[in-house]
Amino acid sequence: MDTAYYLNLNFEENVRKAFAFLCELGFAEIEALPTLVRYQKDGIEVNVYYGRQSHEIGASIIAFGNRYPISTIIRITDPKEFDHFHYTMASTPDGVAAALEDLSLLMKHYGRKALEGDFQFFLMLERQQRMWAEDYALDVLTRQLRPQADEAFRKKDYLKATELYSRIKERLSPAELKKLNIAEKYCK
């Protein structure tokens, strides 16, 4: 889509209206583009953006070298609310304005500690993001190794089964734990 399309959405103007509270908190607008408006205060940056391909409207806070999407902030602050959260898609000026108003309410409610620069909150965010990333990596590894481990056990290659099951031990079912125990016994 061409630039005229994005300009017609009045994204910049609507961000300024919906996120005026950031200026009241001491943030200053540092950049405004047809699909991105950035604010900054004391090393904390707020980005409000419009996805050119997805048409999703989102926001993130950047602090201490890390980017935290509003979804992550909501997930940390109120996991039950996160279960219902989704980025709003909009492709009309009215839809963009409404989505930005909703997003600003979420940012005011859930992002307050981050916007105030609460260092402990950012530490908690960083720790939790690391845990989520590790869990996700283990889930991916489990999906890759489980079939290989099951196949090795079925073929009575107990050494290989032990090695594979051991790498994903945290994700094993009770039946798989029994298989691991059996495989370990045959390896002794």
Side-chain angles (χ1 to χ4, degrees), residues 85 99 142:
F85 174 78
T142 300

Side-chain angles (χ1 to χ4, degrees), residues 99 124 132 182:
M124 182 176 64
W132 289 330
I182 292 167

Side-chain angles (χ1 to χ4, degrees), residues 106-163:
L106 292 171
M107 184 66 79
K108 285 179 198 175
H109 185 74
Y110 297 105
R112 182 63 67 181
K113 287 183 178 183
L115 294 172
E116 292 171 352
D118 183 328
F119 186 71
Q120 293 302 317
F121 183 72
F122 285 111
L123 283 177
M124 182 176 64
L125 275 171
E126 182 58 30
R127 268 193 310 272
Q128 191 62 54
Q129 271 191 324
R130 197 173 324 111
M131 287 174 51
W132 289 330
E134 290 168 3
D135 280 348
Y136 179 72
L138 185 55
D139 288 344
V140 170
L141 185 64
T142 300
R143 284 194 299 275
Q144 293 170 346
L145 296 186
R146 178 174 274 136
Q148 295 173 33
D150 290 342
E151 179 68 13
F153 186 84
R154 191 182 62 70
K155 289 182 173 181
K156 298 183 182 181
D157 185 349
Y158 297 119
L159 186 62
K160 184 174 183 179
T162 298
E163 186 268 324

Side-chain angles (χ1 to χ4, degrees), residues 20-185:
F21 74 94
L22 290 176
C23 296
E24 294 166 12
L25 294 174
F27 283 83
E29 183 181 305
I30 59 169
E31 183 176 24
L33 301 169
T35 58
L36 172 70
V37 179
R38 297 172 49 217
Y39 296 88
Q40 191 172 43
K41 172 189 164 188
D42 300 331
I44 297 173
E45 187 175 304
V46 177
N47 294 339
V48 183
Y49 53 86
Y50 179 84
R52 289 180 178 247
Q53 292 181 342
S54 67
H55 300 279
E56 290 180 338
I57 295 179
S60 61
I61 296 176
I62 300 170
F64 307 104
N66 295 303
R67 179 181 174 273
Y68 304 100
I70 188 66
S71 59
T72 297
I73 293 168
I74 293 169
R75 187 176 181 189
I76 272 286
T77 309
D78 186 349
K80 288 184 181 180
E81 177 63 28
F82 175 75
D83 290 341
H84 306 290
F85 174 78
H86 65 278
Y87 288 101
T88 303
M89 294 172 55
S91 58
T92 65
D94 289 342
V96 167
L100 286 167
E101 282 298 325
D102 292 344
L103 184 61
S104 74
L105 292 174
L106 292 171
M107 184 66 79
K108 285 179 198 175
H109 185 74
Y110 297 105
R112 182 63 67 181
K113 287 183 178 183
L115 294 172
E116 292 171 352
D118 183 328
F119 186 71
Q120 293 302 317
F121 183 72
F122 285 111
L123 283 177
M124 182 176 64
L125 275 171
E126 182 58 30
R127 268 193 310 272
Q128 191 62 54
Q129 271 191 324
R130 197 173 324 111
M131 287 174 51
W132 289 330
E134 290 168 3
D135 280 348
Y136 179 72
L138 185 55
D139 288 344
V140 170
L141 185 64
T142 300
R143 284 194 299 275
Q144 293 170 346
L145 296 186
R146 178 174 274 136
Q148 295 173 33
D150 290 342
E151 179 68 13
F153 186 84
R154 191 182 62 70
K155 289 182 173 181
K156 298 183 182 181
D157 185 349
Y158 297 119
L159 186 62
K160 184 174 183 179
T162 298
E163 186 268 324
L164 293 170
Y165 281 135
S166 295
R167 290 179 60 193
I168 57 172
K169 193 170 187 174
E170 293 177 42
R171 296 291 195 270
L172 295 181
S173 69
E176 290 167 330
L177 284 170
K178 283 184 180 182
K179 288 179 181 180
L180 173 59
N181 288 333
I182 292 167
E184 287 174 335
K185 286 178 185 173

